[in-house]
PDB file of all heavy atoms in Angstrom:
ATOM      1  N   TYR W 212      -7.767  11.456 -10.365  1.00 95.00           N
ATOM      2  CA  TYR W 212      -9.153  11.174 -10.752  1.00 95.00           C
ATOM      3  C   TYR W 212      -9.388   9.676 -10.569  1.00 95.00           C
ATOM      4  O   TYR W 212      -8.712   8.847 -11.181  1.00 95.00           O
ATOM      5  CB  TYR W 212      -9.420  11.558 -12.205  1.00 95.00           C
ATOM      6  CG  TYR W 212     -10.822  11.204 -12.664  1.00 95.00           C
ATOM      7  CD1 TYR W 212     -11.907  11.987 -12.299  1.00 95.00           C
ATOM      8  CD2 TYR W 212     -11.047  10.069 -13.436  1.00 95.00           C
ATOM      9  CE1 TYR W 212     -13.195  11.660 -12.699  1.00 95.00           C
ATOM     10  CE2 TYR W 212     -12.332   9.727 -13.844  1.00 95.00           C
ATOM     11  CZ  TYR W 212     -13.399  10.524 -13.469  1.00 95.00           C
ATOM     12  OH  TYR W 212     -14.675  10.186 -13.861  1.00 95.00           O
ATOM     13  N   ARG W 213     -10.334   9.350  -9.698  1.00 93.00           N
ATOM     14  CA  ARG W 213     -10.678   7.941  -9.455  1.00 93.00           C
ATOM     15  C   ARG W 213     -12.173   7.769  -9.545  1.00 93.00           C
ATOM     16  O   ARG W 213     -12.936   8.512  -8.914  1.00 93.00           O
ATOM     17  CB  ARG W 213     -10.186   7.505  -8.067  1.00 93.00           C
ATOM     18  CG  ARG W 213     -10.316   5.996  -7.822  1.00 93.00           C
ATOM     19  CD  ARG W 213      -9.904   5.645  -6.408  1.00 93.00           C
ATOM     20  NE  ARG W 213     -10.949   5.959  -5.437  1.00 93.00           N
ATOM     21  CZ  ARG W 213     -10.759   5.966  -4.121  1.00 93.00           C
ATOM     22  NH1 ARG W 213      -9.572   5.727  -3.625  1.00 93.00           N
ATOM     23  NH2 ARG W 213     -11.771   6.250  -3.307  1.00 93.00           N
ATOM     24  N   LEU W 214     -12.602   6.799 -10.340  1.00 92.00           N
ATOM     25  CA  LEU W 214     -14.022   6.524 -10.517  1.00 92.00           C
ATOM     26  C   LEU W 214     -14.264   5.035 -10.314  1.00 92.00           C
ATOM     27  O   LEU W 214     -13.659   4.197 -10.992  1.00 92.00           O
ATOM     28  CB  LEU W 214     -14.486   6.936 -11.915  1.00 92.00           C
ATOM     29  CG  LEU W 214     -15.918   6.532 -12.300  1.00 92.00           C
ATOM     30  CD1 LEU W 214     -16.936   7.214 -11.390  1.00 92.00           C
ATOM     31  CD2 LEU W 214     -16.205   6.852 -13.762  1.00 92.00           C
ATOM     32  N   ILE W 215     -15.133   4.708  -9.375  1.00 89.00           N
ATOM     33  CA  ILE W 215     -15.577   3.327  -9.146  1.00 89.00           C
ATOM     34  C   ILE W 215     -17.064   3.282  -9.431  1.00 89.00           C
ATOM     35  O   ILE W 215     -17.853   3.967  -8.777  1.00 89.00           O
ATOM     36  CB  ILE W 215     -15.274   2.872  -7.708  1.00 89.00           C
ATOM     37  CG1 ILE W 215     -13.771   2.937  -7.440  1.00 89.00           C
ATOM     38  CG2 ILE W 215     -15.786   1.457  -7.474  1.00 89.00           C
ATOM     39  CD1 ILE W 215     -13.392   2.591  -6.012  1.00 89.00           C
ATOM     40  N   LYS W 216     -17.430   2.491 -10.426  1.00 88.00           N
ATOM     41  CA  LYS W 216     -18.825   2.451 -10.886  1.00 88.00           C
ATOM     42  C   LYS W 216     -19.377   1.038 -10.726  1.00 88.00           C
ATOM     43  O   LYS W 216     -18.777   0.063 -11.192  1.00 88.00           O
ATOM     44  CB  LYS W 216     -18.892   2.879 -12.352  1.00 88.00           C
ATOM     45  CG  LYS W 216     -20.308   2.947 -12.912  1.00 88.00           C
ATOM     46  CD  LYS W 216     -20.291   3.233 -14.403  1.00 88.00           C
ATOM     47  CE  LYS W 216     -19.669   4.572 -14.720  1.00 88.00           C
ATOM     48  NZ  LYS W 216     -19.792   4.897 -16.167  1.00 88.00           N
ATOM     49  N   LEU W 217     -20.539   0.928 -10.063  1.00 82.00           N
ATOM     50  CA  LEU W 217     -21.237  -0.346  -9.917  1.00 82.00           C
ATOM     51  C   LEU W 217     -22.228  -0.463 -11.063  1.00 82.00           C
ATOM     52  O   LEU W 217     -23.234   0.249 -11.111  1.00 82.00           O
ATOM     53  CB  LEU W 217     -21.956  -0.418  -8.570  1.00 82.00           C
ATOM     54  CG  LEU W 217     -21.092  -0.164  -7.321  1.00 82.00           C
ATOM     55  CD1 LEU W 217     -21.909  -0.354  -6.060  1.00 82.00           C
ATOM     56  CD2 LEU W 217     -19.890  -1.083  -7.319  1.00 82.00           C
ATOM     57  N   ILE W 218     -21.925  -1.344 -12.020  1.00 81.00           N
ATOM     58  CA  ILE W 218     -22.721  -1.473 -13.232  1.00 81.00           C
ATOM     59  C   ILE W 218     -24.127  -1.966 -12.893  1.00 81.00           C
ATOM     60  O   ILE W 218     -24.309  -2.934 -12.159  1.00 81.00           O
ATOM     61  CB  ILE W 218     -22.034  -2.420 -14.230  1.00 81.00           C
ATOM     62  CG1 ILE W 218     -20.606  -1.949 -14.507  1.00 81.00           C
ATOM     63  CG2 ILE W 218     -22.831  -2.517 -15.518  1.00 81.00           C
ATOM     64  CD1 ILE W 218     -20.525  -0.552 -15.071  1.00 81.00           C
ATOM     65  N   GLY W 219     -25.132  -1.282 -13.474  1.00 76.00           N
ATOM     66  CA  GLY W 219     -26.523  -1.687 -13.288  1.00 76.00           C
ATOM     67  C   GLY W 219     -27.127  -1.231 -11.980  1.00 76.00           C
ATOM     68  O   GLY W 219     -28.295  -1.517 -11.704  1.00 76.00           O
ATOM     69  N   GLU W 220     -26.374  -0.509 -11.153  1.00 76.00           N
ATOM     70  CA  GLU W 220     -26.888  -0.087  -9.858  1.00 76.00           C
ATOM     71  C   GLU W 220     -26.908   1.433  -9.716  1.00 76.00           C
ATOM     72  O   GLU W 220     -27.240   1.950  -8.656  1.00 76.00           O
ATOM     73  CB  GLU W 220     -26.063  -0.715  -8.732  1.00 76.00           C
ATOM     74  CG  GLU W 220     -26.092  -2.239  -8.780  1.00 76.00           C
ATOM     75  CD  GLU W 220     -25.276  -2.866  -7.666  1.00 76.00           C
ATOM     76  OE1 GLU W 220     -25.265  -2.318  -6.544  1.00 76.00           O
ATOM     77  OE2 GLU W 220     -24.651  -3.912  -7.909  1.00 76.00           O
TER      78      GLU W 220
END
Side-chain angles (χ1 to χ4, degrees):
Y212 177 77
R213 189 184 78 192
L214 172 63
I215 300 176
K216 183 186 298 186
L217 306 184
I218 305 301
E220 300 180 37

